[in-house]
Amino acid sequence: MTLRIDLKSAILALSDALDLVGVNDFQHGKRVAMIARETALMLGLPDKRLDRLVCASLLHDLGVSSTAVHRRLLHEADWDARHTHCETGYCLLQPFAHLSQVAMAIRYHHTPWVELPAGLDEADALDSNLILLGDRVDACLLQLGLENPLFNRHGIVDAVASLAGRELSPEVVEAFLAAATREAFWIALVPRHVQSYLVDLPLKDWRITIDFPQFGHVARLISSIVDAKSHFTAAHSLGVAQLARYLGERVGLPADALAEVEVAGLMHDVGKLCVPDEIVDKPAPLTPLEFSVMERHSFETYQILRHIPGLEQVAEWAAFHHEALNGHGYPFRRSAERLSPEARIIAVADIFQALAQERPYRGRQRVEQIPHFLNAFVNQGVLDGDLVALACADLDGCWRAATPEVLPASA
């Protein structure tokens, strides 16, 4: 496959996805990266180390997909379970050659300086402590408000100084105090300046290109974060991806399109990270207000994926999974003539897989019940009738593709 993806763009997009988990605490990872980098500049770290630190900071909360967990991490510094997401992030990054460079720093970013393992590499120890510093500073910023960080700096500086020698390395605290004397340090943390700060960084060692099959592994990483948000959606994205590819094979899509439609399936729900846990897991119909929050997720998926050069088409296929042929879907109100075969495949795969899984408001449907629901959507003008007929003609094969870790409903 000739399509190649820039790793820096992929990391920034993944950071955008992780930012969604905060819901109202947007850009947490990016501010941590800025605070850590500006402090590291005072330590005289070379560009290569600075770039690695930025990437580690952007991804430090890779193990968090729950909005409830995110809230506790920001507001409870001594929460007993705070290390769980560090281990999760570490494990998720291990299989990736380039990304695994930052795994150790992420593993220990909630470990106090005096408790870091004796055998930990010096660079990893420093990076983890710089991320912990950024975490602490940003928690203070969020509590005080981001409208004017410069005005609130003195209390934050005093709080950081009190952590020297225990939570934070004295060297790191000294460097932070030096960086914090500059008004620009604080003004740059205002939301409208954060994105441009990071986009402007060259991150030379992370401007490598990866081929599409390699990006598929990154997409699977992202899907695992999304699906971990709720036990009701365990392996949902993987099932959608596998079924989408299975259906694509049966309609004769070429190999390149099959790989892309699989990635679209893996990443179609990345925007759901912005939906609070209590809405995702609600065991009753959503209120109009709650549904309006849920409707955001496919738009957020589009916004994240379209900024990765080369994924513009995949972004559409992924984001249109709640569009309808009759033009009454969401969020773009696309009608039949503007929905490609690939987008239609994702839509069928999404509904089929969801029916094959338990949800908080209903049980899992048996395999023989699925045609009834799919054909109802066809009659309503939502799904493509030919694709639904194809799926219903091969129910067992589609069920196996859609339920990678789900026992057959008739068992």
Side-chain angles (χ1 to χ4, degrees):
M1 184 142 189
T2 56
L3 182 61
R4 298 180 69 80
I5 305 294
D6 174 59
L7 185 58
K8 177 192 173 184
S9 298
I11 290 171
L12 289 175
L14 180 50
S15 171
D16 288 342
L18 296 174
D19 279 344
L20 295 178
V21 181
V23 183
N24 296 320
D25 300 332
F26 191 61
Q27 295 182 321
H28 169 66
K30 294 180 175 64
R31 288 191 300 273
V32 170
M34 294 172 66
I35 294 161
R37 184 179 184 275
E38 290 298 309
T39 302
L41 281 169
M42 297 295 148
L43 294 171
L45 295 189
D47 289 345
K48 188 170 185 175
R49 284 287 312 281
L50 292 171
D51 290 352
R52 194 182 84 153
L53 173 63
V54 166
C55 291
S57 301
L58 290 172
L59 303 181
H60 78 279
D61 274 344
L62 194 70
V64 181
S65 54
S66 161
T67 54
V69 169
H70 181 85
R71 283 193 292 266
R72 294 198 70 173
L73 287 170
L74 283 178
H75 300 296
E76 300 178 40
D78 296 325
W79 182 35
D80 290 342
R82 68 189 184 281
H83 295 290
T84 302
H85 79 286
C86 304
E87 287 293 329
T88 300
Y90 167 76
C91 292
L92 287 171
L93 290 176
Q94 281 302 296
F96 302 96
H98 216 69
L99 294 178
S100 65
Q101 295 179 45
V102 303
M104 275 295 186
I106 288 174
R107 186 180 196 180
Y108 292 109
H109 79 268
H110 273 292
T111 302
W113 178 253
V114 295
E115 296 177 18
L116 289 171
L120 186 62
D121 179 81
E122 183 180 343
D124 288 325
L126 180 57
D127 286 356
S128 68
N129 207 232
L130 286 164
I131 296 171
L132 177 57
L133 163 75
D135 235 7
R136 290 284 188 270
V137 172
D138 196 50
C140 293
L141 285 170
L142 288 167
Q143 290 170 15
L144 296 169
L146 289 167
E147 295 80 11
N148 191 353
L150 181 62
F151 180 76
N152 296 316
R153 68 191 187 277
H154 298 299
I156 297 174
V157 166
D158 291 343
V160 170
S162 72
L163 300 176
R166 297 182 295 107
E167 293 278 320
L168 300 173
S169 154
E171 181 186 28
V172 164
V173 170
E174 184 180 351
F176 170 76
L177 297 179
T181 61
R182 294 179 290 109
E183 288 80 3
F185 173 90
W186 300 99
I187 297 170
L189 293 168
V190 172
R192 69 177 178 273
H193 298 310
V194 170
Q195 190 74 23
S196 58
Y197 177 99
L198 291 162
V199 170
D200 289 344
L201 294 178
L203 299 180
K204 292 179 182 177
D205 278 356
W206 300 83
R207 294 305 302 265
I208 65 171
T209 53
I210 55 177
D211 59 27
F212 202 81
Q214 285 179 297
F215 182 76
H217 296 304
V218 177
R220 186 165 291 207
L221 162 68
I222 296 171
S223 74
S224 69
I225 298 167
V226 175
D227 289 352
K229 185 172 181 65
S230 169
H231 74 274
F232 291 106
T233 57
H236 169 67
S237 300
L238 178 59
V240 171
Q242 291 185 173
L243 179 54
R245 186 182 184 100
Y246 187 81
L247 291 172
E249 289 170 350
R250 272 135 196 82
V251 299
L253 292 184
D256 286 2
L258 287 174
E260 291 180 338
V261 83
E262 184 174 10
V263 165
L266 286 169
M267 303 184 72
H268 77 285
D269 264 351
V270 65
K272 198 170 281 186
L273 290 171
C274 75
V275 182
D277 301 351
E278 53 270 23
I279 293 179
V280 173
D281 290 335
K282 186 178 180 180
L286 300 182
T287 67
L289 175 60
E290 290 167 338
F291 188 69
S292 72
V293 174
M294 180 65 80
E295 283 183 309
R296 288 175 46 194
H297 81 274
S298 47
F299 181 80
E300 297 289 358
T301 292
Y302 180 69
Q303 290 297 97
I304 289 168
L305 298 185
R306 76 184 183 91
H307 288 115
I308 304 178
L311 281 196
E312 295 85 359
Q313 184 171 249
V314 170
E316 293 194 354
W317 299 349
F320 294 167
H321 65 280
H322 285 295
E323 299 294 334
L325 300 185
N326 60 18
H328 295 301
Y330 67 86
F332 297 104
R333 299 280 173 159
R334 290 276 181 128
S335 52
E337 63 273 12
R338 300 185 66 198
L339 291 172
S340 67
E342 294 85 357
R344 298 178 186 210
I345 286 172
I346 298 294
V348 171
D350 178 53
I351 292 178
F352 189 113
Q353 204 290 329
L355 290 168
Q357 274 191 314
E358 182 184 4
R359 289 293 180 264
Y361 48 87
R362 62 155 174 81
R364 183 175 40 155
Q365 305 302 315
R366 296 192 304 273
V367 63
E368 62 270 18
Q369 294 174 312
I370 289 180
H372 168 76
F373 292 100
L374 293 181
N375 283 308
F377 283 117
V378 172
N379 294 334
Q380 293 164 22
V382 175
L383 296 179
D384 185 297
D386 292 337
L387 286 172
V388 166
L390 183 68
C392 293
D394 185 16
L395 270 181
D396 289 341
C398 289
W399 180 274
R400 286 192 296 271
T403 55
E405 296 182 11
V406 180
L407 292 174
S410 56

